[in-house]
């Protein structure tokens, strides 16, 4: 007997341990009682699917409310020779005790075949629910203050989601370019993007603004907290990016020395720009942040006629650079005269 829903490979392994394989799974009521979530498919459907597996002899829907032992009554009545669980089972202690009551062997098997990444119901559901496309982002000021080790209470991070959008099959930008690509990729795959970014040792601002969309101000801290947001309409026709030809690498630059006081000041100025929908106030914050990047050792960016601000996107000494223009006419002129310069626009998801 096993208390977990099998994949085909594990079912063969379980079948090999005895002559009769009984599979049990927790009912919808049990899942809701303990986890406050619905199953991915209804109980009746799941039972039929499991019964259709040729190695399965019987399927039991566990309805007991004792945590980890929804199948306890059936188990004690059947008295099987073995209870088989997967290696990620959270209820080892109570299940071993249950086995000892009837003299059953407690057996642990791998959840997935060798060389495959771990799979969970949550991961599968998140992958199904994941969007098919998302925006990337440009950061204006306050970068690095989203990294927990460098967070400063009372300070800010300012950024904006932009189009064109990206998907797992269509990515119209260079990779490793400082526009939040790793965070976007995690969202598209259905993974927790903030956990993924923090796991890389970098900050949370990329997935935060990509999921929120719009022109955003965030409070510096260990996790994203939105301070204010606008649609970013005042930036329509005023932003352009150009690829520097050098890969962007944030993780290797996290612990460089830099002027965090000036970074915080740049974000405060940029926040005023968002609050007042002022492109010139935003430009002042961007330019102050760019001066920090230069002091850190980044190569100077070539000026583009008509632009009022410029900076590297992200902190990786490469990738894309952002140029801000006072009006759409100035940007249009620059696009025609500057090879490689491409427009981006603010993106804000429309209310459903």
């Amino acid at each position: 007997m096993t208390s977990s829903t099998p994949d085909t490979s594990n079912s063969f392994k379980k079948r090999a341990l005895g002559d009769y394989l009984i599979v049990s799974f927790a009912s919808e009521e049990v899942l809701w009682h303990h986890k406050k979530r619905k199953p991915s498919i209804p109980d009746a459907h799941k039972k039929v699917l499991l019964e259709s597996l040729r190695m399965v002899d019987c399927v039991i829907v566990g309805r007991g409310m004792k945590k980890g032992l929804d199948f306890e009554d059936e188990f004690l009545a059947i008295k099987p020779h073995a209870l088989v669980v997967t290696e990620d089972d959270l209820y080892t202690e109570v299940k071993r005790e249950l086995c000892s009551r009837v003299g059953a062997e407690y057996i642990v098997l791998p959840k997935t075949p060798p060389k495959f990444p771990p799979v969970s119901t949550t991961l599968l559901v998140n992958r199904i629910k994941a969007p098919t496309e998302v925006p990337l982002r440009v950061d204006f000021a306050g970068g690095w203050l989203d990294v927990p080790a460098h967070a400063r209470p009372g300070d800010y991070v300012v950024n904006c989601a932009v189009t064109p959008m990206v998907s797992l099959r269509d990515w119209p930008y260079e990779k490793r370019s400082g526009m939040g690509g790793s965070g976007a990729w995690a969202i598209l795959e259905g993974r927790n993007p903030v956990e993924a970014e923090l796991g890389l040792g970098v900050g949370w601002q990329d997935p935060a603004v990509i999921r929120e969309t719009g022109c955003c101000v965030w409070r510096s801290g260990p996790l994203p907290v939105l301070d204010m947001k606008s649609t970013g309409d005042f930036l329509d026709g005023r932003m352009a990016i150009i690829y520097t030809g050098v890969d962007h690498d944030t993780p290797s630059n996290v612990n460089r020395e830099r002027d965090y006081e000036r970074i915080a000041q740049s974000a405060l100025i940029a926040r005023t720009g968002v609050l007042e929908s002022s492109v010139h106030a935003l430009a002042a914050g961007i330019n102050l942040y760019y001066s920090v990047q230069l002091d850190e050792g980044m190569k100077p960016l070539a000026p583009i006629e008509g632009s009022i601000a410029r900076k590297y996107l992200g902190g990786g000494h490469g990738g894309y650079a952002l140029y801000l223009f006072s009006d759409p006419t100035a940007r249009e002129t620059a696009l025609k005269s500057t090879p490689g310069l491409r427009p981006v626009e603010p993106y804000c998801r429309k209310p459903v």
Side-chain angles (χ1 to χ4, degrees), residues 9-340:
S9 59
N10 253 350
S11 296
F12 277 118
K13 293 177 184 177
K14 293 164 187 172
R15 179 70 186 189
L17 297 171
D19 299 320
Y20 195 85
L21 176 60
I22 304 171
V23 175
S24 76
F25 65 87
S27 70
E28 295 184 41
E29 292 80 6
V30 171
L31 280 177
W32 183 256
H33 180 74
H34 291 302
K35 298 185 178 181
K36 293 296 185 288
R37 70 171 176 85
K38 297 185 295 184
S40 52
I41 57 176
D43 287 352
H45 293 204
K46 187 183 295 185
K47 189 171 186 293
V48 169
L49 287 172
L50 290 170
E51 288 172 338
S52 70
L53 297 174
R54 62 187 175 87
M55 73 288 294
V56 176
D57 295 298
C58 179
V59 177
I60 292 173
V61 182
R63 302 190 185 279
M65 291 301 173
K66 189 180 292 187
K67 186 171 284 190
L69 294 179
D70 52 89
F71 58 93
E72 180 179 23
D73 290 345
E74 292 85 355
F75 189 90
L76 293 174
I78 296 170
K79 296 183 175 61
H81 293 107
L83 174 66
V84 184
V85 301
T86 52
E87 58 195 348
D88 63 342
D89 195 284
L90 300 177
Y91 306 103
T92 296
E93 186 175 340
V94 295
K95 288 180 179 178
R96 284 187 181 279
E97 191 278 330
L98 179 64
C99 286
S100 69
R101 289 159 63 184
V102 299
E105 185 179 0
Y106 183 82
I107 300 174
V108 179
L109 291 179
K111 186 167 186 176
T112 52
K115 300 181 181 179
F116 282 84
V119 175
S120 68
T121 302
T122 300
L123 181 62
L124 293 175
V125 171
N126 287 345
R127 186 175 179 87
I128 293 168
K129 291 168 61 178
T132 56
E133 60 177 5
V134 295
L136 292 188
R137 69 100 183 98
V138 293
D139 64 323
F140 296 134
W144 298 115
L145 300 184
D146 61 317
V147 177
H150 302 310
R152 295 162 52 107
D155 290 326
Y156 304 98
V157 177
V158 187
N159 51 29
C160 185
V162 297
T163 58
M165 308 276 266
V166 298
S167 71
L168 293 177
R169 291 176 175 80
D170 184 18
W171 199 279
Y173 302 94
E174 299 287 340
K175 302 287 181 67
R176 296 172 59 88
S177 62
M179 294 185 68
S182 60
W185 195 267
I187 292 172
L188 292 167
E189 287 190 323
R191 295 183 286 127
N192 184 310
V194 171
E195 288 183 1
E197 292 294 277
L198 294 180
L200 293 173
V202 297
W204 43 253
Q205 72 156 299
D206 298 351
V209 71
I210 289 168
R211 289 196 300 190
E212 180 64 37
T213 75
C215 186
C216 296
V217 178
W218 305 87
R219 297 176 187 174
S220 175
L223 291 170
V225 175
L226 186 64
D227 176 69
M228 59 175 290
K229 169 183 173 178
S230 84
T231 61
D233 290 351
F234 73 102
L235 295 171
D236 286 346
R238 290 172 168 83
M239 294 187 293
I241 59 174
I242 192 167
Y243 187 62
T244 63
V246 178
D247 276 353
H248 167 94
D249 181 11
T250 299
S252 65
N253 288 287
V254 168
N255 295 316
R256 281 179 179 262
E257 290 189 10
R258 55 182 63 91
D259 190 340
Y260 290 101
E261 188 64 40
R262 202 148 31 117
I263 289 174
Q265 186 181 357
S266 75
L268 191 61
I269 297 170
R271 180 178 182 270
T272 299
V274 177
L275 182 65
E276 299 178 354
S277 295
S278 168
V279 67
H280 290 284
L282 183 63
I286 292 172
N287 283 327
L288 181 58
Y289 192 94
Y290 175 55
S291 71
V292 176
Q293 292 182 326
L294 293 178
D295 288 348
E296 186 181 320
M298 296 188 188
K299 294 181 179 178
L301 296 168
I304 294 179
E305 186 174 354
S307 67
I308 57 175
R310 63 188 186 272
K311 70 178 289 290
Y312 286 90
L313 293 177
H317 291 243
Y320 282 104
L322 170 72
Y323 286 80
L324 186 65
F325 298 84
S326 59
D327 58 72
T329 301
R331 187 186 73 169
E332 189 61 30
T333 300
L335 290 172
K336 292 177 180 177
S337 62
T338 309

